[in-house]
Amino acid sequence: MSLTSINTSTRKLKAGGRISGIVRVPGDKSISHRALLFGAIAEGETTIEGLLPAEDPISTASCLRLMGVRISPISQGEVVHVEGVGLEGLEEPKEVLNCGNSGTTMRLILGLLVGRQGKHFVLTGDKSLSKRPMQRVGQPLKLMGAQVRGRANGNLAPLSVYGQQLRGAVIGTPIASAQVKSAILLAALTAEGPTTVIEPAHSRDHSERMLKAFGANLHIGGEMGRHINVMPGANLKSQKIVVPGDISSAAFWLVAAAITPGSQITVKNVGLNPTRTGVLEVMKEMEVDFEILNKQDIAGEPVGDIKVTYGNQLKPFKIDAEIIPRLVDEVPILTVAALFCNGDSQISGASELRVKETDRLAVMARQLKLMGANIEEHSDGLTIHGDNSLRGASLDSETDHRVAMSLAIAALLAKDDSKLARSEAAAVSYPDFWNDLERLQN
Ligand code: S3P
């Protein structure tokens, strides 16, 4: 056994061994949230196979239940049933909607609620979520007539929404954020007149794909397909959704196998939506030995298995603003990968990382330096000197799920064992991560 629990949250991380075997990562988090939200406002019963049974989607489901949506229990391996209440059917909740740690829950639900005329909603979240900027959603929604109030001039939770009749608008979003875009698309469904969202760069497009499948009147056009137009009025029809494995969870194993001598891993059934596969582009640049097998389309999303074999002499890489939307959640694990490249890697254009569950640039630099890593932090990125030698250390996830899992992979490569405080954070997106690590590290 390679992992031992020291107490409920601090874990011993054993150094050494290789990563080998076959793993199925849990369902895609972004797709899971959307399946619940769109299913809730559709007509009829939506079934969701492979929904991620983790804390974030569970937060979305609990908020929806408080507004009268019946959702069957969410647990590993169970198909989830959502009894849609229709576009206008959400009830005014008697309690505060608690979004937990989940930015996607809070931002998408804001878009869902602003058009519920005459109804009042209060949204809150945990310590981390209460520090994250919400005006990026509140501001564009105000252009449609929304009333959103909160601390710090409407920027911070707790937030309150008083539902209004919205009007369609043409909205250019200043940042490429799928959460902002999706909130506007949700609001657009009940607005008067059409809405167009214009993104500065192409963020993940799960909302567009799934809203179309549910029957929304949504069209994509403009230069590089970045203008998304919604005509209100179309009722959504329930769907049978199959959620692919999350490439953001797969990334931990892909990188682990690429940098750990003697490793070979196959991650099965991974979502390969091109708006999410930036990590594979970087792996190509690093000259990682990998192949994609069994590529197919399932329920409107491309999926496949990814097989990675260890090879020494990985090349350093450069990531800039252009690719960030396609790998925004993979920057922590790619920072670990860079430590094992043959030269200096550069991450820039990544200031969005500072407003994730934690300031991921600062936290990754701080934690990896405890292991002796040579990293320089910049306002919008990191320079990582690849030199291949880490020592064991007392680490801390600082409550961030992706930091917890990235540090666990770094610890495999250290000269001696490490400890990780607040390791339970992994359950936000990957509840079985520690069991999978125990099984695959051998
Ligand atoms: C998400 C979008 C991304 C991503 C987050 C999930 C989504 O955030 O980091 O984990 O499901 O829409 P931004 O929209 O802020 O880039």
Side-chain angles (χ1 to χ4, degrees), residues 9 13 17 20 46 69 71 73 82 103 156 179-180 211 231 244 282 311 319 334 360 368 374 376 385 402 405 424 442:
S9 63
L13 301 174
S20 65
T46 288
V69 183
I71 302 173
V82 181
L156 300 177
Q179 295 177 350
V180 175
L211 278 172
M231 287 293 294
V282 175
I319 295 176
L334 285 171
R360 287 181 172 160
L368 290 171
N374 188 354
E376 287 150 42
H385 305 282
R402 300 204 198 278
M405 295 183 272
E424 75 282 357
N442 48 57

Side-chain angles (χ1 to χ4, degrees), residues 27 31-40 44-54 57-58 60-62 64-65 69-84 214 238-243:
I31 296 177
S32 295
H33 284 296
R34 287 156 174 80
L36 290 165
L37 290 163
F38 303 165
E45 185 183 282
T46 288
T47 57
I48 313 169
E49 199 183 314
L51 185 114
L52 169 66
I58 288 172
T60 292
S62 342
L64 291 168
R65 288 188 183 116
V69 183
R70 291 174 63 170
I71 302 173
S72 66
I74 295 177
S75 61
Q76 180 67 41
E78 293 293 323
V79 173
V80 174
H81 298 256
V82 181
E83 286 180 31
F214 270 94
S238 58
Q239 296 297 303
K240 280 189 179 11
I241 293 169
V242 184
V243 183

